Amino acid sequence: MMPHYRADELFDLVDIGPARGMPEWANLKAVDRPAAVDKEHLVGPGIYALFLNDELFYIGIHAPADLPVTERWHKHVVAHTLRASSMFMRRRAFIYSLMLPGPIGQGLRACLTQASQEQFELANQDVDPFSSQWSKAMRQIELHGSGGICAPLVTRSFNTIFNKARFAEANWSTLGPGHDKDILSRMTFLYERLQTSTWSTAHEVKYQGLKRREDGLIAEFRPICNRETNPGDERTGVTLPVVQQAILRAFATTG
């Protein structure tokens, strides 16, 4: 049976406050729980899947042979939920995320100076959101924060795509401030290691042993937080047993 783990078995969340220029809700760091779980079965290359409330939201790979996959998972806990104390967004993703009507959009807009907020509001008047005219107007906005260019655009930290912002906003009742314990208790990790390998280098393991299988799984399930999934094209309601069987089938193929 492929092992799976609840996040609160592996991690604790620590409030370290938001980095300069970040939203107030961006305040967490995930740290390992000492000796909470025997990590012997979490060391080595493999494919993993992440679930919130038993629903798939991300598929990834772990290539290092000598490190546990939790080295990646502790980042995902705060990065995919947008609760990390700092984040990086490309301009397009940031502008699209500014359009979200709930707490994510509100928090990101609050990172802007008053002048930039006014530019943004003016550019959105009498224009269909996400149209070519809207896109042209958005290119003209100067996205300044209190310390210069808005912090999420310059802080080299966890890369945050628009779909991650959509995911966080849609699940804010679980992921938002005041629900830190819910983040951990409702997030589950599934991991299957690459059992045999005919490849001699880490590069071969990653790209020949894992990446092509990951690509197939992402194409099949279209998890919302994978960059390959176009906004609005994600599948919903994909459960752990379904993904588990798909990963096993992927590893059963030769090559």
Side-chain angles (χ1 to χ4, degrees), residues 7-14 29-37 39 42 68-75 77 184:
D8 58 3
E9 297 178 288
L10 301 166
F11 308 108
D12 289 315
L13 292 175
V14 180
K29 177 181 180 180
V31 297
D32 289 344
R33 298 191 68 187
V37 170
K39 294 184 179 179
L42 295 173
V69 67
T70 50
E71 293 292 310
R72 297 191 60 79
W73 289 351
H74 83 270
K75 301 174 184 177
V77 168
L184 295 177

Side-chain angles (χ1 to χ4, degrees), residues 118-191:
E118 290 174 357
Q119 282 188 47
F120 177 76
E121 292 170 2
L122 183 63
N124 275 284
Q125 291 181 1
D126 304 320
V127 177
D128 290 333
F130 310 116
S131 65
S132 58
Q133 184 180 1
W134 177 87
S135 297
K136 182 178 180 180
M138 290 299 106
R139 288 195 292 270
Q140 309 304 316
I141 296 176
E142 296 180 354
L143 297 172
H144 291 300
S146 58
I149 297 175
C150 194
L153 293 172
V154 295
T155 303
R156 294 295 171 176
S157 180
F158 302 117
N159 186 34
T160 303
I161 60 175
F162 177 47
N163 263 356
K164 291 180 184 177
R166 293 177 60 237
F167 169 73
E169 177 132 313
N171 293 281
W172 205 240
S173 61
T174 298
L175 305 178
H179 302 280
D180 297 354
K181 291 183 178 180
D182 290 339
I183 296 175
L184 295 177
S185 66
R186 299 191 185 188
M187 191 177 292
T188 306
F189 303 93
L190 179 68
Y191 190 51

Side-chain angles (χ1 to χ4, degrees), residues 80-113:
H80 288 322
T81 60
L82 268 70
R83 296 297 308 281
S85 64
S86 62
M87 71 187 82
F88 171 72
M89 304 182 82
R90 299 188 182 278
R91 181 184 172 93
R92 180 184 177 91
F94 182 72
I95 288 177
Y96 273 52
S97 299
L98 292 175
M99 296 294 292
L100 293 171
I104 298 298
Q106 293 167 8
L108 293 174
R109 291 192 295 273
C111 295
L112 298 171
T113 62

Side-chain angles (χ1 to χ4, degrees), residues 1-56:
M1 178 65 69
M2 188 187 307
H4 58 274
Y5 306 87
R6 220 169 60 186
D8 58 3
E9 297 178 288
L10 301 166
F11 308 108
D12 289 315
L13 292 175
V14 180
D15 185 345
I16 60 173
R20 182 180 179 186
M22 294 293 171
E24 291 183 358
W25 36 254
N27 65 319
L28 297 179
K29 177 181 180 180
V31 297
D32 289 344
R33 298 191 68 187
V37 170
D38 184 355
K39 294 184 179 179
E40 178 183 353
H41 300 293
L42 295 173
V43 176
I47 295 177
Y48 60 86
L50 277 57
F51 301 81
L52 183 71
N53 295 325
D54 300 319
E55 184 172 335
L56 177 71

Side-chain angles (χ1 to χ4, degrees), residues 178-206:
H179 302 280
D180 297 354
K181 291 183 178 180
D182 290 339
I183 296 175
L184 295 177
S185 66
R186 299 191 185 188
M187 191 177 292
T188 306
F189 303 93
L190 179 68
Y191 190 51
E192 179 68 6
R193 292 187 295 179
L194 184 63
Q195 298 298 326
T196 60
S197 176
T198 59
W199 303 284
S200 57
T201 68
H203 184 275
E204 290 175 342
V205 168
K206 179 176 181 179

